[in-house]
Structure formats: C-alpha cells, structure tokens
Amino acid sequence: AIGLGQHRFFRQHAVRRATNWKLIVDAFMEVYHVKRLHSATIGPFFSDSVAISDHFGPHQRMLVARDQLGQLRDQPPAQWHPQRHGTLVHFIFPNTILIYHPDYISHLGMFPTAPDETLFVHTMLTPEAPADERAKTHWDRSFDLIDRQVFHDEDLTVCEQIQRGLVGGIGQDFLLGRFESNVRRFHET
C-alpha cells in the first residue's frame, strides 16, 4: 500500500556505537521522547505522545501522530494518508525497523558486535532515483538531518549514556510505564 517495492536505494551509513542493540530498539518502540529529545530537529512536527500500535507475532507496527493529525476531522477518509498525518514504524523482529517519513523510508538494522556495542546501519530508500541535482540535494539534506542529527546525535547518544549507566552499577531492573507497552512486548518476546 505504501509502495515499498518501488523505492530505490539512495544512501547508507553504518557505524559502531557503544550500546547494546536492544537499547536502540527500545528507543524506536516508544514516542514520548520525540517532543523532548528531538525538540530542535523533528519534535515540532509531531503531536506529544500520540500513537497507536499493534503486533503480529513478534513483529510490531506503530503509527505516530504528526502535528497535522487534527486536520483529519475536516477531511474525508479518502484524503487521509499515513505518511502525511503520521509516521508509520514497522519493527520486524528481532533487529529491523522501517520508518516511513513523509517522502522517503529509513531502513534500520541493529547488529550486535559485543554485549555493549552495536553496528547501526541506516539505509535511505527514496520513491524514485533523483531526477536532477535539486532532487539529489533534497535527499542528501533529508538524510543528513535524520541520520546525523536525529539518530546519531540524539537517539544513539542517549542509548550510549544509558549503557554507561548500566555498566556503572545502576539497577538492572526497569519499571515500564503505560507509554512503553511496545518496549515490554519486545523484551517479553
């Protein structure tokens, strides 16, 4: 329905980060951090902690509300579009995440290389190959924002801080709240 099969490889970045792979998956299984951690990047485009999710065996999907969700009240269902009014996230157990941005898709792979290290691979898929230099510049800027600023400077940096805290001796038990049902389901699986 979203046309994933027609998307094209555009760009990829792989990096080792000093965190357990499951902490990275956890970051993409809840949405309450988006408005706060990403306040200077993508946070303004999203509603605060509004999402719906379901699961299929060990796999999960979540639709995260964008700031334009309120406009749906005045539009017929035929005009509703998940990539315009929300961000769809597919988690394919155990280590794959697809994020459907408004005009491209991020494919994330988390590959543990040690208990406290993960190879994080982000691949950008675009609906078509860039037709000209202007289109290429657009995709490059989008990739840099999501890959460098959002994923690496924000999400993965916090995951590394949590990893250091765990190694430093803070408790090994976590209390999960009602906004973390997807995190709980992932760890139970």
Side-chain angles (χ1 to χ4, degrees), residues 152-174:
H152 292 280
D153 293 351
E154 296 170 352
D155 289 316
L156 296 175
T157 296
V158 168
C159 291
E160 288 177 327
Q161 291 169 350
I162 294 169
Q163 182 70 44
R164 284 193 301 272
L166 291 170
V167 172
I170 65 168
Q172 297 294 311
D173 296 321
F174 291 92

Side-chain angles (χ1 to χ4, degrees), residues 109-138:
M110 284 68 60
F111 304 97
T113 55
D116 61 351
E117 184 182 81
T118 302
L119 176 63
F120 179 84
V121 181
H122 172 215
T123 304
M124 180 185 204
L125 305 170
T126 58
E128 69 271 330
D132 52 31
E133 191 58 34
R134 182 176 176 203
K136 183 180 181 317
T137 299
H138 166 72

Side-chain angles (χ1 to χ4, degrees), residues 139-154:
W139 298 125
D140 279 331
R141 281 196 340 255
S142 295
F143 185 87
D144 289 339
L145 169 69
I146 292 297
D147 188 70
R148 185 178 51 81
Q149 293 179 333
V150 176
F151 295 160
H152 292 280
D153 293 351
E154 296 170 352

